[in-house]
Amino acid sequence: MKKSQHVIPDPNGGWKVIKSGSDRASKLFDCKAPAVHYARSLSKKHKTDLYIHKKDGSVDHRSTYSVKSSKPKSRRSS
Amino acid sequence: MDVFINCPFDDSYYILLKHMIFTVLFLGHKPRLALEETDCSGVRIAKIMSLIESSHISIHDISRMRASRKGEYSRLNLSFELGLDFGCKRYFESMQGKKMLILEKDRYDYQKSISDISGFDIKHHNNDSTKLIEVLRNWFVENQLSICKSSPNTIFNNYCYFSADLYDKRKGSGYTEESLNELPIAELTLEMTQWIKSTHK
């Protein structure tokens, strides 16, 4: 199973893009929007799921680009 | 080991509480809270005393003792339970090795409300989850209560991965975001326990 991408807050400020189960971020960003943009491009490229987290670590939004789905499906938490 | 957690149970503390429970589990211990059972037939104080007497580690967050607005009563349950736990450690021979961590929001706040506890191990978390995880992780390791080699950052990353897995699992069962965020503490603790067990064998 392919590892999903996560956009999560960085403890030193800003946001990071990190692969599920990893300790090292792929990339750090000052703001959330460019982090989401970058993570989305990675997810599309590698056909993986994308989880965008809130500041508290809970899930704000999930998109799937995995092979099973023909179109990207998005679910946003209310 | 059982870890008695004495902290506020209001909505504004719920996020910190979730992070605290996850961190305690990640460090290899079992969080014990008065909320873990909601059976009305028991007397609350008896349940709390039983938890105190069976836990060799305790965490007391007294950060909400201060009233947040004019006219609000100060909260005395937190300091009362801290006193019970201190008595347990002081008067029960078998509990003299009990380790107690006291948390506050801002450094030295306690000196204004409960200065009798000067000399205790008191840490502050600024109401910040990242800081709370760091304080907990470092205290457990410093006191040789955990051999965790993971950084606070790694613990928070794992909390995020857990949240993602829980989101998928529960959304598939018809849970809304709201109900997911209001899972009873006992149920959430069980989910965290199972997740940590399955991912950190």
Side-chain angles (χ1 to χ4, degrees):
Chain A
M1 190 176 152
K2 283 187 179 173
K3 295 202 166 181
S4 47
Q5 298 290 337
H6 296 256
V7 177
I8 65 180
D10 186 71
N12 301 314
W15 292 81
K16 62 187 175 192
V17 175
I18 191 165
K19 201 190 285 182
S20 184
S22 175
D23 272 345
R24 277 188 62 192
S26 319
K27 210 165 178 180
L28 296 167
F29 296 85
D30 290 336
C31 304
K32 193 173 182 179
V36 170
H37 183 75
Y38 176 73
R40 199 176 295 285
S41 67
L42 283 181
S43 290
K44 282 179 182 170
K45 184 177 168 190
H46 298 293
K47 298 186 171 50
T48 60
D49 292 338
L50 167 65
Y51 296 89
I52 300 160
H53 294 260
K54 296 179 189 169
K55 277 216 100 166
D56 67 4
S58 62
V59 176
D60 184 34
H61 183 88
R62 175 182 180 266
S63 300
T64 180
Y65 299 95
S66 55
V67 188
K68 278 184 228 162
S69 56
S70 51
K71 279 191 227 168
K73 284 181 195 167
S74 286
R75 282 199 294 216
R76 178 177 284 282
S77 60
S78 50
Chain B
M1 270 201 241
D2 285 3
V3 179
F4 172 62
I5 296 177
N6 170 29
C7 67
F9 293 135
D10 53 49
D11 291 347
S12 65
Y13 194 83
Y14 189 62
I15 290 170
L16 286 174
L17 178 58
K18 287 198 281 189
H19 291 145
M20 185 185 291
I21 291 172
F22 186 83
T23 305
V24 168
L25 287 165
F26 196 89
L27 294 170
H29 295 282
K30 184 180 178 190
R32 305 295 311 273
L33 296 95
L35 278 184
E36 65 191 38
E37 285 173 31
T38 47
D39 172 15
C40 297
S41 65
V43 180
R44 186 182 157 90
I45 190 64
K47 194 196 302 179
I48 290 167
M49 286 167 73
S50 161
L51 292 176
I52 286 174
E53 288 167 16
S54 62
S55 303
H56 286 264
I57 304 171
S58 53
I59 300 168
H60 299 267
D61 191 335
I62 57 170
S63 59
R64 300 292 203 272
M65 274 171 51
R66 185 178 183 176
S68 57
R69 60 179 188 276
K70 194 176 172 184
E72 187 182 28
Y73 285 100
S74 58
R75 302 183 193 184
L76 299 175
N77 280 340
L78 299 166
S79 50
F80 178 68
E81 290 171 29
L82 169 62
L84 284 175
D85 198 27
F86 179 70
C88 175
K89 178 181 163 84
R90 179 75 175 81
Y91 300 116
F92 281 90
E93 204 172 324
S94 62
M95 282 293 173
Q96 287 181 1
K98 185 187 261 258
K99 301 279 188 189
M100 296 167 70
L101 169 65
I102 302 173
L103 298 168
E104 58 180 347
K105 177 176 167 278
D106 298 314
R107 194 189 290 263
Y108 308 130
D109 248 5
Y110 77 95
Q111 290 181 348
K112 294 162 198 152
S113 55
I114 184 167
S115 59
D116 280 357
I117 59 171
S118 294
F120 274 61
D121 205 353
I122 297 162
K123 311 279 188 198
H124 66 287
H125 55 59
N126 302 333
N127 272 353
D128 176 71
S129 290
T130 308
K131 177 77 178 161
L132 174 69
I133 292 170
E134 181 188 314
V135 163
L136 289 171
R137 185 259 174 219
N138 292 348
W139 182 82
F140 274 83
V141 172
E142 279 163 13
N143 284 281
Q144 298 173 2
L145 298 168
S146 174
I147 50 167
C148 176
K149 292 196 172 90
S150 301
S151 67
N153 198 0
T154 298
I155 297 173
F156 183 73
N157 290 349
N158 273 279
Y159 178 82
C160 293
Y161 305 145
F162 159 74
S163 297
D165 287 347
L166 182 67
Y167 182 92
D168 283 347
K169 182 177 171 185
R170 294 290 177 135
K171 282 276 178 172
S173 312
Y175 273 76
T176 62
E177 177 66 17
E178 197 177 24
S179 56
L180 199 55
N181 275 332
E182 287 172 4
L183 275 189
I185 285 297
E187 194 177 355
L188 186 65
T189 304
L190 185 64
E191 290 284 0
M192 289 176 177
T193 306
Q194 289 171 347
W195 187 87
I196 291 171
K197 210 181 252 182
S198 67
T199 55
H200 292 77
K201 285 172 188 164

